[in-house]
Amino acid sequence: LPRPPPAAAGSCSVGQCGHRAYAPPAERKRFYQNVSISQGEGGFEINLDHRKLKTPQAKLFTVPSEALAIAVATEWDSQKDTIKFYTMHLTTLCNTALDNPTQRNKMQLIRAAVKFLETDTVCYRVEEPPALAELQKNEWDPVITWAEKRYNVTIGSSTSILGPNIPASTKETFVSHLASYNMWALQGIEFVITQLKSLILSMSLIDRHITVEKAVLLSRLEEEYQIQRWGNVEWAHDYDLCELRARTAAGTLFVHLCSESSTVKHKLLQD
């Protein structure tokens, strides 16, 4: 201690190919007053009062960059009387990177991410109703066109239930591109992909071609179309939208902070 309690048996979320990752526990009473960061031999550490934060597997919680440490410390510092672990996406991602509960290596993470191309949201199109088909064409085609030009690949789209036939060369290009990221960043990339159900939208977001709001909107295009047509369920849709934005934004920030080695100077948490 102090560390988030391990998730109870059966409470883990299931990711692509059945891999299990940490699911944060629900809530716990805040047991600390002050949050700070310090630099140790293995990187930057989080201090809750005078105790070191640890992972669910009791490893010292150590992150590779000062900027990421500040972001995680801010999550802990922003908790009120009750610690709501389900709001602490950066902490959860760091725990996953440190403990690697699925025991996957770098290439396994990359293959799992690229596999999403086979069921990518923006590649599956409808023929009916015509208004939705037109909306998908207008909103998704520009993203696919950008990705094809950016990575010099062929992607395409399909109205078949089998989806588009993605060339092997396209998959290998994405494998090579993702290999340029470190293990921590890859954990974040996979997290974003699972939120958006799209490798193409995720890479467009991480490459700063589109914003978090735009990426989430495009990933929910059919749902938003139905809401505009049939109306909104009071608070439910808005809550889901905000949650998806929060998770997607946290995952994207995590990727960027894990891909940079810069040190933040003279950055202090609020008293």
Side-chain angles (χ1 to χ4, degrees):
L1 290 173
R3 63 180 185 273
S11 63
C12 293
S13 59
V14 180
Q16 185 77 357
C17 301
H19 292 301
R20 292 183 176 273
Y22 287 134
E27 296 183 3
R28 177 182 178 181
K29 184 176 180 180
R30 178 165 172 159
F31 55 86
Y32 54 90
Q33 294 294 323
N34 302 307
V35 184
S36 62
I37 66 172
S38 58
Q39 188 168 10
E41 294 182 2
F44 293 89
E45 304 165 358
I46 309 298
N47 308 302
L48 305 180
D49 293 332
H50 300 293
R51 295 170 291 182
K52 301 290 186 183
L53 182 65
K54 293 186 178 180
T55 72
Q57 292 186 10
K59 295 178 181 177
L60 183 63
F61 190 102
T62 307
V63 299
S65 75
E66 184 180 8
L68 179 57
I70 290 172
V72 171
T74 301
E75 280 190 334
W76 285 87
D77 195 48
S78 64
Q79 302 302 307
K80 304 303 180 183
D81 295 334
T82 301
I83 306 172
K84 299 180 179 180
F85 292 106
Y86 53 84
T87 67
M88 303 170 70
H89 306 302
L90 294 175
T91 299
T92 301
L93 281 165
C94 290
N95 282 333
T96 302
L98 287 165
D99 286 348
N100 190 15
T102 59
Q103 294 300 302
R104 288 180 292 170
N105 59 33
K106 184 173 183 178
M107 186 52 64
Q108 287 173 317
L109 280 173
I110 292 171
R111 292 292 183 186
V114 173
K115 189 173 179 60
F116 271 90
L117 265 178
E118 300 171 4
T119 57
D120 201 289
T121 295
V122 300
C123 293
Y124 277 82
R125 306 298 174 85
V126 299
E127 295 179 316
E128 298 288 341
L132 178 56
E134 185 68 18
L135 182 64
Q136 290 178 339
K137 177 179 174 60
N138 292 339
E139 296 294 335
W140 286 347
D141 277 3
V143 181
I144 292 180
T145 300
W146 172 85
E148 290 179 329
K149 182 177 180 181
R150 163 71 173 83
Y151 300 104
N152 191 27
V153 295
T154 300
I155 299 173
S157 61
S158 174
T159 57
S160 168
I161 192 173
L162 299 177
N165 184 18
I166 305 294
S169 59
T170 295
K171 296 179 182 179
E172 289 307 313
T173 295
F174 277 107
V175 166
S176 298
H177 177 73
L178 291 174
S180 65
Y181 290 91
N182 59 45
M183 280 285 289
W184 282 66
L186 286 172
Q187 295 280 4
I189 291 172
E190 187 184 36
F191 181 77
V192 175
I193 291 173
T194 57
Q195 306 310 310
L196 301 177
K197 305 297 186 293
S198 170
L199 172 65
I200 298 170
L201 289 178
S202 299
M203 298 315 300
S204 299
L205 173 59
I206 291 168
D207 280 356
R208 297 182 174 90
H209 175 65
I210 57 177
T211 64
V212 169
E213 291 79 8
K214 182 69 171 179
V216 169
L217 177 62
L218 292 178
S219 74
R220 290 165 44 99
L221 199 61
E222 184 173 356
E223 184 175 355
E224 293 298 327
Y225 169 82
Q226 298 296 346
I227 289 173
Q228 292 181 13
R229 185 176 183 184
W230 302 108
N232 197 1
V233 176
E234 187 176 359
W235 74 264
H237 286 126
D238 292 337
Y239 177 83
D240 289 343
L241 179 61
C242 289
E243 277 292 293
L244 182 55
R245 282 177 177 171
R247 292 192 297 269
T248 302
T252 305
L253 177 62
F254 183 82
V255 173
H256 289 160
L257 293 180
C258 291
S259 302
E260 299 174 357
S261 58
S262 58
T263 300
V264 179
K265 300 294 185 181
H266 309 300
K267 180 69 176 179
L268 300 175
L269 292 173
Q270 292 183 347
D271 294 333

